[in-house]
């Protein structure tokens, strides 16, 4: 589903975290959300998935009510087994046929060999797979991932990127990242924020020098 926002603002305390953001993302795009720390990326993502409200609700012209969200700090219960945790999340979210849904998700994200392990025993990459499975639980139209590849080793990085590309074939995906190579490999569009303002909203295929664009837009 396409996302369309106009003149969106968000103020926290006395600080304007998002300043007059107008943005359109097309249905089925994988979008790389870039920006330095404090640019407003996490705030925008939380607004898009409905966790926070903007100052002006009318700015959300078109968003989806069906969304999944994986925050940067993946909130897992380390003492629970993988399948046990996913079944709990399915039941808490009122998912029909939870066992069937969880089985499909375990296959989709590549957790078949890990289902009998406790989450605390998993590598960072497999913990991210559990988090992604949870975010996909309701088959969302929009999936938002906050720094999903941070801290992964090269093999895990490659596998999670491949998984995200596969997921993006069926839904709109927004992921925040600091890795330019990741944007080039996975994303259709770049959205770049700096100091709460939208600096770039452009197709990756139209950008010759992504690193240079980032440097120029974050001065």
């Amino acid at each position: 589903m396409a996302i369309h926002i106009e003149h969106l603002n968000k103020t926290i305390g006395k600080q304007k975290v998002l300043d007059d953001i107008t943005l359109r993302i097309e249905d089925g795009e994988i979008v790389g959300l870039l920006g330095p720390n404090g640019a407003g990326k996490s705030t925008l993502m939380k607004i898009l998935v409905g966790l926070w409200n903007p100052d002006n609700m009318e700015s959300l012209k078109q968003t989806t009510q069906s969304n999944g969200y994986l925050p940067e700090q993946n909130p897992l219960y380390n003492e629970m087994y993988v399948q046990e945790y996913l079944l709990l999340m399915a039941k808490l979210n009122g998912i029909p046929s939870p066992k069937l849904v969880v089985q499909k998700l375990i296959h989709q994200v590549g957790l078949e060999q890990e289902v009998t392990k406790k989450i605390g025993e998993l590598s960072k990459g497999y913990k991210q797979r559990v988090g992604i499975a949870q975010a996909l639980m309701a088959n969302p139209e929009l999936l938002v991932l906050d720094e999903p590849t941070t801290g992964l080793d090269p093999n895990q990085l490659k596998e999670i990127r491949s998984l995200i590309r596969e997921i993006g074939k069926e839904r709109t995906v927004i992921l925040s990242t600091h890795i330019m190579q990741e944007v080039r490999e996975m994303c259709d569009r770049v959205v770049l924020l700096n100091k709460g303002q939208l600096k770039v909203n452009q197709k990756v295929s139209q950008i010759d020098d992504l690193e240079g664009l980032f440097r120029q837009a974050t001065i």
Side-chain angles (χ1 to χ4, degrees), residues 30-98:
I30 300 180
V31 179
L33 182 57
L34 303 178
N37 292 335
K41 302 187 300 295
S42 292
T43 300
L44 178 59
M45 287 187 287
K46 288 175 182 177
I47 289 173
L48 290 175
V49 298
L51 292 177
W52 288 1
N53 290 327
D55 296 343
N56 45 342
M57 286 298 296
E58 67 277 8
S59 64
L60 300 175
K61 299 295 183 182
Q62 184 181 2
T63 58
T64 174
Q65 297 302 310
S66 173
N67 57 68
Y69 176 53
L70 178 65
E72 183 177 3
Q73 301 300 323
N74 193 349
L76 301 173
Y77 298 122
N78 286 331
E79 71 280 5
M80 296 186 73
Y81 293 94
V82 171
Q83 189 165 8
E84 177 189 19
Y85 169 78
L86 292 174
L87 281 171
L88 174 63
M89 293 298 103
K91 291 174 182 177
L92 288 176
N93 285 281
I95 303 298
S97 305

Side-chain angles (χ1 to χ4, degrees), residues 149-181:
T149 61
T150 298
L152 301 184
D153 66 37
N155 287 335
Q156 294 172 336
L157 194 63
K158 182 178 179 181
E159 291 172 359
I160 293 296
R161 287 175 179 171
S162 177
L163 175 59
I164 292 171
R165 284 194 297 268
E166 192 65 28
I167 290 169
K169 293 178 181 179
E170 299 178 351
R171 55 185 52 81
T172 302
V173 178
I174 298 175
L175 63 100
S176 67
T177 181
H178 293 286
I179 305 172
M180 300 301 160
Q181 180 184 354

